[in-house]
Amino acid sequence: MADGTATAAPAPLPQVGENDEAKEARLAKRRKLLRILAIAVVTIAALWGLWYFLTQAGRVSTDNAYVGADSATVTALVSGPVKEVRVSGTQTVRKGDILVILDDADQRIALADAEATLRQARQRYGQADATADAARSRVAARGAEIVQAQARLRDAEATVERTRAELARRESIAGTGAVSTEELTAARAALKQAQAARDLAAAGVTSAQATRGSAAGDLGAAEAVVRGTTIDTAPDVAAAQARVEKAKLDLARTVIRAPVNGIVTNKQVQVGQRIAAGAPIMVIVPIDAAYVDANYKESQFKKIRIGQPAELTSDYYGGDVVYHGKVVGIAGGTGAAFSLIPAQNATGNWVKVVQRLPVRIALDPKELKAHPLRVGLSMEATIDTRGR
């Protein structure tokens, strides 16, 4: 142009073949990426499915689980004032450790009285045994007296026979004048005297026999007390011995010891307090024997069986500490069924509520020892229903 301005060169025309090739390349690259992505998704899904099948399938879980233990309530078995308290709340104790000591003055007096009664019973038995021995001696003596009386009776009978014979002999010759009237009278008198002596001897035998019978009765009464027994098995002695043992037991029970290993809780006793027999004074929780009651929904019980393994975690230690346990029992009813006021479902506005049933899981003692739990802590429980 005349004014010297440069004229713009015309734009090049688009090459249709070249653009189609670039578009096809981009589409091919996109399809390749999509295929890779699809393969990756399928692979991840397959791996996740395999992992779930191998590790998670057949596992039922709940976070409605709590630690429990069969706590031991410590009670006083005898009454008395508290002399000493050797433990405090939250203290760990071992089985047999002394917890509380009661004043034992009354029990010591009772023991002394029972021991005195026992000695008295032994003394009475000794007296009864001696009485039986004396009665046996009296029976033997009465037997000897009977023998003596029978001997005297035989002697008196012999005398009667002799005097009777002498009287008969004199009477036979009285007509000849060889025997005087005085001799005949004397012979007759001698016979009567001999007969009287015989009757007296017979009465002596009867008296001796009666005396022996009385002595035998006394012996029977005396032997009835000691027959078939010794000084240790006699009823009175045995009863007195039992009272002594009871007094010793009451004295020993003034020292109250821990019945199990555990932690002292709910302590309700102070020095100087007078407690009655049977009154609870504290509770010992055996944390070494803790278990878990996991409340599963009724829809989860299709495959839950006793003996299956379980894994549990607690907020107390966090998810890094995993407890291993085993299903040891399934409750006989839901919590609602045994509540103080059971649910009344026979109403017009009834709404179904999924019920839960407690499952008891025993924990590994070694894991409990390494990481002790406390009663009432919440847990998360998972049961592997494929396990046996």
Side-chain angles (χ1 to χ4, degrees), residues 309-339:
E311 294 182 355
L312 307 99
T313 58
S314 171
D315 292 341
Y316 191 72
Y317 292 107
D320 294 336
V321 177
V322 178
Y323 295 88
H324 297 84
K326 181 175 65 175
V327 176
V328 295
I330 300 174
T334 65
F338 298 104
S339 63

Side-chain angles (χ1 to χ4, degrees), residues 104-119 240-252:
D104 59 1
D106 293 340
Q107 285 73 22
R108 289 186 181 279
I109 293 174
L111 176 59
D113 181 66
E115 289 175 340
T117 302
L118 175 60
R119 289 192 295 270
Q241 182 66 45
R243 286 192 289 271
V244 170
E245 297 300 326
K246 176 64 168 56
K248 289 181 178 179
L249 183 60
D250 289 343
L251 180 60

Side-chain angles (χ1 to χ4, degrees), residues 276-297:
I281 57 177
M282 65 183 68
V283 176
I284 297 181
V285 180
I287 59 174
D288 292 341
Y291 53 81
V292 173
D293 283 333
N295 301 296
Y296 280 91
K297 296 178 181 179

Side-chain angles (χ1 to χ4, degrees), residues 36-352:
I36 294 174
L37 180 61
I39 293 173
V41 170
V42 172
T43 302
I44 293 172
L47 291 175
W48 182 89
L50 181 63
W51 171 83
Y52 181 85
F53 176 77
L54 294 177
T55 63
Q56 302 299 316
R59 295 164 63 91
V60 290
S61 302
T62 182
D63 58 359
N64 189 351
Y66 303 93
V67 179
D70 295 328
S71 302
T73 301
V74 181
T75 60
L77 300 179
V78 294
S79 61
V82 178
K83 181 179 180 180
E84 186 177 351
V85 179
R86 294 194 176 182
V87 295
S88 59
T90 71
Q91 180 176 337
T92 301
V93 295
R94 306 292 297 176
K95 182 179 180 179
D97 288 351
I98 297 177
L99 306 176
V100 177
I101 299 178
L102 304 180
D103 190 333
D104 59 1
D106 293 340
Q107 285 73 22
R108 289 186 181 279
I109 293 174
L111 176 59
D113 181 66
E115 289 175 340
T117 302
L118 175 60
R119 289 192 295 270
Q120 189 177 25
R122 287 179 174 272
Q123 186 180 40
R124 285 196 300 267
Y125 183 87
Q127 291 174 346
D129 196 17
T131 301
D133 291 339
R136 293 188 192 96
S137 300
R138 287 195 296 272
V139 169
R142 299 295 86 78
E145 290 177 356
I146 290 175
V147 173
Q148 292 176 358
Q150 289 174 342
R152 287 193 293 270
L153 177 60
R154 289 191 297 271
D155 182 66
E157 289 176 343
T159 302
V160 168
E161 293 301 324
R162 187 178 67 253
T163 55
R164 180 180 286 113
E166 290 178 356
L167 176 59
R169 182 172 57 80
R170 285 181 172 83
E171 287 179 340
S172 63
I173 62 175
T176 62
V179 178
S180 64
T181 304
E182 183 177 353
E183 288 180 356
L184 188 59
T185 302
R188 289 172 179 165
L191 176 59
K192 291 181 180 180
Q193 185 177 5
Q195 290 174 339
R198 181 195 62 188
D199 294 340
L200 182 62
V205 171
T206 303
S207 177
Q209 290 176 340
T211 304
R212 186 182 182 280
S214 177
D218 293 340
L219 174 59
E223 286 184 336
V225 178
V226 297
R227 183 183 297 115
T229 63
T230 64
I231 193 169
D232 293 321
T233 60
D236 290 345
V237 176
Q241 182 66 45
R243 286 192 289 271
V244 170
E245 297 300 326
K246 176 64 168 56
K248 289 181 178 179
L249 183 60
D250 289 343
L251 180 60
R253 285 173 171 174
T254 59
V255 178
I256 303 175
R257 300 179 180 272
V260 294
N261 301 337
I263 296 177
V264 176
T265 60
N266 198 25
K267 185 172 76 71
Q268 305 175 24
V269 60
Q270 302 294 335
V271 174
Q273 175 185 355
R274 183 174 183 85
I275 56 178
I281 57 177
M282 65 183 68
V283 176
I284 297 181
V285 180
I287 59 174
D288 292 341
Y291 53 81
V292 173
D293 283 333
N295 301 296
Y296 280 91
K297 296 178 181 179
E298 53 188 323
S299 57
Q300 296 176 298
F301 274 86
K302 183 177 181 179
K303 296 183 179 180
I304 293 179
R305 301 291 185 272
I306 293 176
Q308 292 173 342
E311 294 182 355
L312 307 99
T313 58
S314 171
D315 292 341
Y316 191 72
Y317 292 107
D320 294 336
V321 177
V322 178
Y323 295 88
H324 297 84
K326 181 175 65 175
V327 176
V328 295
I330 300 174
T334 65
F338 298 104
S339 63
L340 185 61
I341 303 178
Q344 299 296 326
N345 295 329
T347 59
N349 56 351
W350 174 77
V351 176
K352 180 178 179 180

